[in-house]
Amino acid sequence: AQKITQTQPGMFVQEKEAVTLDCTYDTSDQSYGLFWYKQPSSGEMIFLIYQGSYDEQNATEGRYSLNFQKARKSANLVISASQLGDSAMYFCAMREGLRGGYQKVTFGIGTKLQVIP
Amino acid sequence: DGGITQSPKYLFRKEGQNVTLSCEQNLNHDAMYWYRQDPGQGLRLIYYSQIVNDFQKGDIAEGYSVSREKKESFPLTVTSAQKNPTAFYLCASSAQPGQSSGNTIYFGEGSWLTVV
């Protein structure tokens, strides 16, 4: 079974609009972490936001927020006020094994976001 | 500046040859990871390590080998047993959860490997 599922291969959004990128995950761990990364065409991996499984509040970082629904095992990324520079691949990732085990980090296949002027 | 250095950035390999990709970090991180990314694809975990002299197979370890003799270094060898090694390889590291910057995974700039 896939650990991280991103079901949207590509998304379009109008500049200045908000967009939600979907991510669901599968783990039996009680303690885990969820990440979102942005990868522009240059290939670098840019950290956007982190959510711990025990965090009660949804994480926010500037224009990025993470809609964490633990019971549904979803961790959707919301980008508000989209900018042309937001056009990139976006990856959801999960880190397991936080309770003294091996910390394995797995990524989804990504969503390609294109912002339209 | 602290960070992760991968080398070489571009590498060409003949079929049947082994090749080693270097990954060095000066962030004092315990955990290190190697990922493979194929065009238009996500990152797939090859190997990961929590401490020196210990590492675990990821989801696609066949045809690859690693070592972790020093905390700072986690080289990846792509062996001739890897049938389709042409890809973009990313090395990453992270601190322990709860430590400063423990909630971020840091990446190198990647290495492009092409089999010719």
Side-chain angles (χ1 to χ4, degrees):
Chain A
Q2 292 290 327
K3 287 284 188 178
I4 296 287
T5 301
Q6 295 181 255
T7 58
Q8 305 154 312
M11 291 279 287
F12 290 92
V13 63
Q14 203 77 36
E15 194 178 6
K16 300 181 185 177
E17 297 291 313
V19 63
T20 297
L21 306 183
D22 295 340
C23 173
T24 58
Y25 59 92
D26 181 29
T27 181
S28 57
D29 283 7
Q30 296 300 310
S31 181
Y32 52 89
L34 298 157
F35 303 82
W36 277 92
Y37 278 81
K38 172 185 178 181
Q39 187 182 46
S41 57
S42 60
E44 65 179 309
M45 294 291 286
I46 301 170
F47 168 75
L48 296 178
I49 198 165
Y50 171 83
Q51 178 86 41
S53 58
Y54 289 113
D55 294 341
E56 294 185 353
Q57 301 287 331
N58 284 347
T60 59
E61 292 283 352
R63 294 187 298 113
Y64 305 106
S65 60
L66 199 152
N67 185 0
F68 181 46
Q69 298 187 41
K70 195 171 182 176
R72 298 179 59 186
K73 293 190 175 179
S74 75
N76 298 340
L77 177 71
V78 180
I79 305 174
S80 63
S82 296
Q83 302 172 357
L84 296 178
D86 293 336
S87 295
M89 283 290 288
Y90 287 81
F91 293 102
C92 180
M94 176 173 63
R95 180 168 62 186
E96 301 172 276
L98 299 185
R99 292 292 191 192
Y102 288 98
Q103 295 167 40
K104 184 178 183 181
V105 181
T106 51
F107 283 76
I109 64 171
T111 295
K112 185 172 183 178
L113 177 67
Q114 296 187 60
V115 180
I116 305 167
Chain B
D1 287 348
I4 300 177
T5 301
Q6 288 188 240
S7 62
K9 190 168 180 65
Y10 300 95
L11 186 61
F12 296 88
R13 190 196 89 171
K14 293 183 179 180
E15 285 193 24
Q17 286 183 337
N18 292 355
V19 64
T20 297
L21 307 180
S22 170
C23 178
E24 303 278 332
Q25 55 101 355
N26 60 4
L27 300 166
N28 199 33
H29 287 169
D30 289 313
M32 296 190 74
Y33 309 85
W34 272 106
Y35 294 90
R36 169 182 172 144
Q37 185 177 20
D38 294 281
Q41 300 294 314
L43 281 66
R44 291 185 290 169
L45 182 64
I46 305 173
Y47 270 97
Y48 58 112
S49 170
Q50 297 297 134
I51 57 173
V52 173
N53 293 324
D54 193 24
F55 45 82
Q56 299 293 310
K57 291 183 179 180
D59 301 315
I60 56 164
E62 185 175 351
Y64 299 97
S65 66
V66 293
S67 63
R68 187 88 187 271
E69 297 177 1
K70 298 185 300 181
K71 186 175 184 177
E72 304 79 27
S73 179
F74 192 40
L76 174 74
T77 297
V78 185
T79 74
S80 57
Q82 171 49 237
K83 299 304 180 188
N84 185 21
T86 295
F88 185 52
Y89 291 86
L90 282 160
C91 179
S93 72
S94 67
Q96 294 294 336
Q99 292 182 341
S100 173
S101 74
N103 293 336
T104 305
I105 301 165
Y106 294 81
F107 283 85
E109 293 187 343
S111 294
W112 289 94
L113 173 62
T114 303
V115 173
V116 296

Short mmCIF file of all heavy atoms in Angstrom, two decimals, chain A residues 35 37 39 42-45 47 49-50 89 91 93 95 98 101-110, chain B residues 33 35 37 40-43 45 48 50 54 56 59 88 90 94-97 102-107:
data_model
loop_
_atom_site.label_atom_id
_atom_site.label_comp_id
_atom_site.label_asym_id
_atom_site.label_seq_id
_atom_site.Cartn_x
_atom_site.Cartn_y
_atom_site.Cartn_z
N PHE A 35 5.20 16.59 5.98
CA PHE A 35 5.92 17.70 5.36
C PHE A 35 5.33 17.99 3.98
O PHE A 35 4.80 17.11 3.32
CB PHE A 35 7.39 17.33 5.11
CG PHE A 35 8.17 16.91 6.32
CD1 PHE A 35 8.08 15.61 6.80
CD2 PHE A 35 9.03 17.79 6.95
CE1 PHE A 35 8.81 15.20 7.91
CE2 PHE A 35 9.77 17.40 8.05
CZ PHE A 35 9.66 16.10 8.52
N TYR A 37 6.96 19.87 0.44
CA TYR A 37 8.12 20.46 -0.23
C TYR A 37 7.71 20.94 -1.61
O TYR A 37 6.83 20.37 -2.26
CB TYR A 37 9.25 19.44 -0.37
CG TYR A 37 10.07 19.30 0.88
CD1 TYR A 37 9.62 18.50 1.93
CD2 TYR A 37 11.27 19.98 1.03
CE1 TYR A 37 10.35 18.39 3.10
CE2 TYR A 37 12.02 19.87 2.19
CZ TYR A 37 11.55 19.08 3.22
OH TYR A 37 12.28 18.98 4.37
N GLN A 39 9.32 21.81 -5.42
CA GLN A 39 10.47 21.58 -6.29
C GLN A 39 10.27 22.33 -7.61
O GLN A 39 9.55 21.88 -8.48
CB GLN A 39 10.67 20.08 -6.56
CG GLN A 39 11.96 19.79 -7.32
CD GLN A 39 12.15 18.32 -7.63
OE1 GLN A 39 11.22 17.65 -8.08
NE2 GLN A 39 13.35 17.80 -7.39
N SER A 42 14.36 23.88 -11.35
CA SER A 42 15.79 23.81 -11.06
C SER A 42 16.16 22.52 -10.32
O SER A 42 17.33 22.13 -10.28
CB SER A 42 16.23 25.01 -10.22
OG SER A 42 15.51 25.03 -8.99
N GLY A 43 15.18 21.88 -9.70
CA GLY A 43 15.43 20.62 -9.01
C GLY A 43 15.64 20.72 -7.51
O GLY A 43 15.61 19.70 -6.83
N GLU A 44 15.87 21.92 -7.00
CA GLU A 44 16.09 22.02 -5.55
C GLU A 44 14.81 21.72 -4.79
O GLU A 44 13.71 21.93 -5.30
CB GLU A 44 16.59 23.43 -5.20
CG GLU A 44 15.59 24.53 -5.46
CD GLU A 44 16.12 25.89 -5.09
OE1 GLU A 44 16.61 26.07 -3.97
OE2 GLU A 44 16.00 26.80 -5.95
N MET A 45 14.95 21.20 -3.60
CA MET A 45 13.81 20.87 -2.75
C MET A 45 13.69 21.96 -1.69
O MET A 45 14.60 22.17 -0.89
CB MET A 45 14.03 19.52 -2.08
CG MET A 45 14.04 18.36 -3.05
SD MET A 45 12.43 18.04 -3.78
CE MET A 45 11.58 17.28 -2.40
N PHE A 47 11.67 23.40 1.52
CA PHE A 47 10.76 23.07 2.61
C PHE A 47 9.69 24.15 2.73
O PHE A 47 9.98 25.35 2.71
CB PHE A 47 11.56 22.96 3.91
CG PHE A 47 10.70 22.90 5.14
CD1 PHE A 47 10.02 21.75 5.46
CD2 PHE A 47 10.56 24.01 5.96
CE1 PHE A 47 9.23 21.67 6.59
CE2 PHE A 47 9.78 23.95 7.10
CZ PHE A 47 9.11 22.79 7.42
N ILE A 49 6.40 23.46 4.91
CA ILE A 49 5.61 23.42 6.13
C ILE A 49 5.68 22.04 6.75
O ILE A 49 5.90 21.03 6.05
CB ILE A 49 4.14 23.82 5.82
CG1 ILE A 49 3.38 24.23 7.07
CG2 ILE A 49 3.42 22.74 5.04
CD1 ILE A 49 2.08 24.95 6.75
N TYR A 50 5.51 21.98 8.08
CA TYR A 50 5.57 20.72 8.84
C TYR A 50 4.39 20.65 9.81
O TYR A 50 4.02 21.66 10.42
CB TYR A 50 6.88 20.64 9.62
CG TYR A 50 6.94 19.48 10.57
CD1 TYR A 50 7.30 18.22 10.13
CD2 TYR A 50 6.61 19.64 11.92
CE1 TYR A 50 7.34 17.14 11.01
CE2 TYR A 50 6.65 18.58 12.80
CZ TYR A 50 7.02 17.34 12.34
OH TYR A 50 7.04 16.27 13.20
N MET A 89 6.55 21.63 -8.84
CA MET A 89 6.05 20.36 -8.31
C MET A 89 5.96 20.48 -6.80
O MET A 89 6.84 21.09 -6.16
CB MET A 89 7.01 19.22 -8.67
CG MET A 89 6.92 18.74 -10.09
SD MET A 89 5.40 17.87 -10.44
CE MET A 89 5.67 16.33 -9.55
N PHE A 91 5.46 18.19 -3.26
CA PHE A 91 5.52 16.85 -2.70
C PHE A 91 5.08 16.84 -1.24
O PHE A 91 5.51 17.67 -0.46
CB PHE A 91 6.94 16.28 -2.79
CG PHE A 91 7.41 16.04 -4.19
CD1 PHE A 91 8.27 16.92 -4.81
CD2 PHE A 91 7.01 14.91 -4.88
CE1 PHE A 91 8.72 16.70 -6.09
CE2 PHE A 91 7.45 14.68 -6.18
CZ PHE A 91 8.30 15.57 -6.78
N ALA A 93 5.17 14.48 2.20
CA ALA A 93 6.05 13.44 2.75
C ALA A 93 5.67 13.14 4.19
O ALA A 93 5.08 13.98 4.88
CB ALA A 93 7.51 13.89 2.68
N ARG A 95 7.22 11.28 7.87
CA ARG A 95 8.31 10.69 8.65
C ARG A 95 7.71 9.82 9.74
O ARG A 95 6.92 10.29 10.56
CB ARG A 95 9.20 11.78 9.27
CG ARG A 95 10.36 11.22 10.09
CD ARG A 95 11.36 12.28 10.45
NE ARG A 95 10.81 13.34 11.28
CZ ARG A 95 11.47 14.43 11.62
NH1 ARG A 95 12.72 14.60 11.20
NH2 ARG A 95 10.91 15.35 12.38
N LEU A 98 9.18 7.77 14.91
CA LEU A 98 9.69 8.81 15.79
C LEU A 98 9.87 8.33 17.22
O LEU A 98 10.51 8.99 18.02
CB LEU A 98 8.74 10.01 15.76
CG LEU A 98 8.57 10.66 14.38
CD1 LEU A 98 7.71 11.90 14.48
CD2 LEU A 98 9.91 10.99 13.77
N GLY A 101 12.51 4.54 16.84
CA GLY A 101 12.79 3.61 15.74
C GLY A 101 13.53 4.31 14.62
O GLY A 101 13.93 5.46 14.73
N TYR A 102 13.75 3.60 13.56
CA TYR A 102 14.39 4.20 12.39
C TYR A 102 13.41 5.19 11.75
O TYR A 102 12.28 4.84 11.45
CB TYR A 102 14.79 3.12 11.40
CG TYR A 102 15.96 2.31 11.87
CD1 TYR A 102 15.79 1.08 12.48
CD2 TYR A 102 17.25 2.80 11.71
CE1 TYR A 102 16.86 0.36 12.92
CE2 TYR A 102 18.34 2.07 12.16
CZ TYR A 102 18.14 0.86 12.77
OH TYR A 102 19.23 0.13 13.21
N GLN A 103 13.89 6.38 11.55
CA GLN A 103 13.04 7.44 11.01
C GLN A 103 13.02 7.35 9.50
O GLN A 103 13.90 7.85 8.83
CB GLN A 103 13.54 8.79 11.47
CG GLN A 103 13.42 8.99 12.96
CD GLN A 103 14.20 10.20 13.40
OE1 GLN A 103 14.19 11.22 12.72
NE2 GLN A 103 14.86 10.08 14.52
N LYS A 104 11.99 6.75 9.01
CA LYS A 104 11.85 6.58 7.56
C LYS A 104 11.00 7.71 7.02
O LYS A 104 9.94 8.03 7.56
CB LYS A 104 11.18 5.23 7.27
CG LYS A 104 11.07 4.89 5.81
CD LYS A 104 10.44 3.51 5.64
CE LYS A 104 10.38 3.12 4.16
NZ LYS A 104 9.74 1.79 3.98
N VAL A 105 11.45 8.33 5.96
CA VAL A 105 10.73 9.44 5.34
C VAL A 105 10.36 9.05 3.92
O VAL A 105 11.24 8.78 3.09
CB VAL A 105 11.56 10.73 5.33
CG1 VAL A 105 10.76 11.86 4.69
CG2 VAL A 105 11.98 11.12 6.74
N THR A 106 9.08 9.01 3.63
CA THR A 106 8.61 8.63 2.30
C THR A 106 7.83 9.79 1.69
O THR A 106 7.16 10.55 2.38
CB THR A 106 7.73 7.37 2.34
OG1 THR A 106 6.71 7.55 3.33
CG2 THR A 106 8.56 6.15 2.71
N PHE A 107 7.94 9.88 0.36
CA PHE A 107 7.32 10.96 -0.39
C PHE A 107 6.23 10.43 -1.31
O PHE A 107 6.25 9.28 -1.74
CB PHE A 107 8.38 11.66 -1.25
CG PHE A 107 9.26 12.60 -0.49
CD1 PHE A 107 10.26 12.12 0.33
CD2 PHE A 107 9.08 13.97 -0.58
CE1 PHE A 107 11.08 12.98 1.05
CE2 PHE A 107 9.89 14.84 0.13
CZ PHE A 107 10.88 14.34 0.94
N GLY A 108 5.30 11.32 -1.64
CA GLY A 108 4.31 11.01 -2.67
C GLY A 108 4.88 11.29 -4.05
O GLY A 108 6.03 11.71 -4.19
N ILE A 109 4.06 11.05 -5.08
CA ILE A 109 4.55 11.23 -6.45
C ILE A 109 4.46 12.67 -6.92
O ILE A 109 4.97 13.01 -7.97
CB ILE A 109 3.79 10.32 -7.44
CG1 ILE A 109 2.30 10.71 -7.50
CG2 ILE A 109 3.97 8.86 -7.08
CD1 ILE A 109 1.56 10.00 -8.61
N GLY A 110 3.82 13.51 -6.12
CA GLY A 110 3.83 14.94 -6.42
C GLY A 110 2.64 15.42 -7.21
O GLY A 110 1.94 14.65 -7.87
N TYR B 33 19.62 10.34 4.24
CA TYR B 33 18.74 9.60 3.32
C TYR B 33 19.25 9.75 1.89
O TYR B 33 19.82 10.78 1.52
CB TYR B 33 17.31 10.18 3.36
CG TYR B 33 16.72 10.32 4.73
CD1 TYR B 33 16.97 11.44 5.51
CD2 TYR B 33 15.88 9.33 5.24
CE1 TYR B 33 16.41 11.58 6.77
CE2 TYR B 33 15.31 9.47 6.50
CZ TYR B 33 15.59 10.59 7.26
OH TYR B 33 15.03 10.71 8.51
N TYR B 35 17.55 9.37 -2.04
CA TYR B 35 16.34 9.21 -2.84
C TYR B 35 16.71 9.20 -4.32
O TYR B 35 17.67 9.83 -4.75
CB TYR B 35 15.36 10.35 -2.60
CG TYR B 35 14.79 10.39 -1.22
CD1 TYR B 35 15.41 11.12 -0.22
CD2 TYR B 35 13.63 9.68 -0.91
CE1 TYR B 35 14.89 11.15 1.07
CE2 TYR B 35 13.10 9.71 0.37
CZ TYR B 35 13.74 10.45 1.35
OH TYR B 35 13.22 10.47 2.61
N GLN B 37 14.91 10.06 -8.07
CA GLN B 37 13.77 10.72 -8.70
C GLN B 37 13.89 10.54 -10.21
O GLN B 37 14.89 10.92 -10.81
CB GLN B 37 13.71 12.21 -8.35
CG GLN B 37 12.47 12.91 -8.90
CD GLN B 37 12.38 14.35 -8.50
OE1 GLN B 37 13.36 14.99 -8.11
NE2 GLN B 37 11.17 14.91 -8.55
N GLY B 40 9.39 13.41 -13.86
CA GLY B 40 7.96 13.45 -13.63
C GLY B 40 7.48 12.55 -12.51
O GLY B 40 6.27 12.37 -12.34
N GLN B 41 8.41 12.02 -11.75
CA GLN B 41 8.05 11.09 -10.68
C GLN B 41 8.38 11.67 -9.32
O GLN B 41 9.10 12.65 -9.18
CB GLN B 41 8.80 9.77 -10.86
CG GLN B 41 8.51 9.07 -12.16
CD GLN B 41 7.07 8.60 -12.24
OE1 GLN B 41 6.54 8.01 -11.31
NE2 GLN B 41 6.41 8.88 -13.35
N GLY B 42 7.88 11.00 -8.32
CA GLY B 42 8.18 11.39 -6.95
C GLY B 42 9.55 10.88 -6.52
O GLY B 42 10.32 10.33 -7.32
N LEU B 43 9.85 11.10 -5.25
CA LEU B 43 11.11 10.64 -4.68
C LEU B 43 10.91 9.25 -4.08
O LEU B 43 10.00 9.05 -3.27
CB LEU B 43 11.57 11.60 -3.58
CG LEU B 43 12.25 12.89 -4.01
CD1 LEU B 43 11.30 13.82 -4.75
CD2 LEU B 43 12.85 13.60 -2.80
N LEU B 45 12.69 6.20 -1.85
CA LEU B 45 13.74 6.03 -0.85
C LEU B 45 14.61 4.82 -1.18
O LEU B 45 14.11 3.71 -1.33
CB LEU B 45 13.10 5.86 0.53
CG LEU B 45 14.03 5.72 1.72
CD1 LEU B 45 14.86 6.99 1.91
CD2 LEU B 45 13.21 5.44 2.98
N TYR B 48 18.52 4.64 4.11
CA TYR B 48 18.54 5.66 5.13
C TYR B 48 19.35 5.19 6.32
O TYR B 48 19.49 3.98 6.54
CB TYR B 48 17.15 6.13 5.53
CG TYR B 48 16.21 5.07 6.05
CD1 TYR B 48 15.81 5.05 7.39
CD2 TYR B 48 15.67 4.11 5.20
CE1 TYR B 48 14.93 4.10 7.86
CE2 TYR B 48 14.79 3.16 5.66
CZ TYR B 48 14.41 3.16 6.99
OH TYR B 48 13.54 2.21 7.45
N GLN B 50 20.46 6.22 10.55
CA GLN B 50 20.23 7.01 11.75
C GLN B 50 21.51 7.32 12.49
O GLN B 50 21.62 8.34 13.17
CB GLN B 50 19.30 6.26 12.71
CG GLN B 50 17.92 5.99 12.18
CD GLN B 50 17.15 7.27 11.90
OE1 GLN B 50 16.53 7.44 10.87
NE2 GLN B 50 17.20 8.20 12.83
N ASP B 54 25.45 2.20 10.69
CA ASP B 54 24.15 1.53 10.63
C ASP B 54 23.29 2.19 9.56
O ASP B 54 23.25 3.42 9.46
CB ASP B 54 23.45 1.62 11.99
CG ASP B 54 22.26 0.68 12.06
OD1 ASP B 54 22.23 -0.32 11.30
OD2 ASP B 54 21.35 0.95 12.87
N GLN B 56 19.61 1.32 6.82
CA GLN B 56 18.47 0.48 6.49
C GLN B 56 18.11 0.59 5.01
O GLN B 56 18.24 1.67 4.42
CB GLN B 56 17.24 0.90 7.31
CG GLN B 56 17.42 0.79 8.81
CD GLN B 56 17.56 -0.64 9.26
OE1 GLN B 56 16.75 -1.49 8.91
NE2 GLN B 56 18.59 -0.91 10.05
N ASP B 59 12.82 1.56 -0.05
CA ASP B 59 11.87 0.85 -0.90
C ASP B 59 12.47 0.31 -2.19
O ASP B 59 11.90 -0.58 -2.81
CB ASP B 59 10.70 1.79 -1.23
CG ASP B 59 9.98 2.27 0.02
OD1 ASP B 59 9.73 1.42 0.91
OD2 ASP B 59 9.71 3.47 0.13
N PHE B 88 17.83 11.19 -11.29
CA PHE B 88 18.29 12.29 -10.45
C PHE B 88 18.33 11.75 -9.02
O PHE B 88 17.36 11.18 -8.54
CB PHE B 88 17.30 13.45 -10.58
CG PHE B 88 17.68 14.70 -9.86
CD1 PHE B 88 18.93 15.27 -10.05
CD2 PHE B 88 16.78 15.35 -9.04
CE1 PHE B 88 19.28 16.46 -9.42
CE2 PHE B 88 17.11 16.53 -8.39
CZ PHE B 88 18.36 17.09 -8.58
N LEU B 90 18.98 12.40 -4.95
CA LEU B 90 18.96 13.43 -3.92
C LEU B 90 19.37 12.84 -2.58
O LEU B 90 18.86 11.79 -2.17
CB LEU B 90 17.57 14.04 -3.79
CG LEU B 90 17.17 15.06 -4.85
CD1 LEU B 90 15.67 15.22 -4.91
CD2 LEU B 90 17.83 16.39 -4.58
N SER B 94 18.47 15.07 8.41
CA SER B 94 17.60 15.73 9.38
C SER B 94 18.13 15.50 10.78
O SER B 94 18.80 14.50 11.06
CB SER B 94 16.16 15.21 9.27
OG SER B 94 16.06 13.87 9.66
N ALA B 95 17.82 16.46 11.65
CA ALA B 95 18.14 16.31 13.06
C ALA B 95 17.10 15.42 13.71
O ALA B 95 16.10 15.06 13.08
CB ALA B 95 18.14 17.70 13.72
N GLN B 96 17.33 15.07 14.95
CA GLN B 96 16.34 14.27 15.67
C GLN B 96 15.11 15.12 15.95
O GLN B 96 15.23 16.31 16.24
CB GLN B 96 16.93 13.79 16.99
CG GLN B 96 18.08 12.82 16.86
CD GLN B 96 17.64 11.49 16.25
OE1 GLN B 96 16.46 11.11 16.34
NE2 GLN B 96 18.55 10.79 15.63
N PRO B 97 13.92 14.53 15.85
CA PRO B 97 12.71 15.28 16.23
C PRO B 97 12.85 15.84 17.64
O PRO B 97 13.34 15.15 18.53
CB PRO B 97 11.61 14.22 16.15
CG PRO B 97 12.14 13.20 15.22
CD PRO B 97 13.63 13.17 15.43
N GLY B 102 14.69 20.11 13.95
CA GLY B 102 14.36 18.70 13.79
C GLY B 102 13.13 18.45 12.94
O GLY B 102 12.88 17.31 12.54
N ASN B 103 12.37 19.49 12.67
CA ASN B 103 11.16 19.33 11.87
C ASN B 103 11.37 19.76 10.43
O ASN B 103 10.43 20.16 9.75
CB ASN B 103 10.01 20.11 12.51
CG ASN B 103 9.60 19.51 13.83
OD1 ASN B 103 9.83 18.33 14.08
ND2 ASN B 103 9.03 20.33 14.69
N THR B 104 12.59 19.71 9.97
CA THR B 104 12.90 20.04 8.58
C THR B 104 13.85 18.99 8.05
O THR B 104 14.76 18.56 8.74
CB THR B 104 13.56 21.42 8.47
OG1 THR B 104 12.73 22.39 9.09
CG2 THR B 104 13.80 21.81 7.02
N ILE B 105 13.63 18.57 6.84
CA ILE B 105 14.56 17.68 6.14
C ILE B 105 15.30 18.53 5.12
O ILE B 105 14.69 19.21 4.30
CB ILE B 105 13.81 16.53 5.45
CG1 ILE B 105 13.04 15.73 6.50
CG2 ILE B 105 14.78 15.62 4.70
CD1 ILE B 105 12.00 14.83 5.90
N TYR B 106 16.62 18.50 5.20
CA TYR B 106 17.45 19.32 4.34
C TYR B 106 17.95 18.47 3.18
O TYR B 106 18.33 17.32 3.36
CB TYR B 106 18.64 19.87 5.12
CG TYR B 106 18.25 20.85 6.19
CD1 TYR B 106 17.79 20.40 7.43
CD2 TYR B 106 18.33 22.22 5.99
CE1 TYR B 106 17.42 21.28 8.42
CE2 TYR B 106 17.98 23.12 6.97
CZ TYR B 106 17.51 22.64 8.19
OH TYR B 106 17.13 23.52 9.17
N PHE B 107 17.97 19.07 2.00
CA PHE B 107 18.38 18.36 0.80
C PHE B 107 19.63 18.98 0.18
O PHE B 107 19.85 20.19 0.26
CB PHE B 107 17.26 18.39 -0.24
CG PHE B 107 16.14 17.43 0.03
CD1 PHE B 107 15.10 17.78 0.87
CD2 PHE B 107 16.14 16.18 -0.56
CE1 PHE B 107 14.07 16.89 1.14
CE2 PHE B 107 15.12 15.28 -0.31
CZ PHE B 107 14.08 15.63 0.54
#
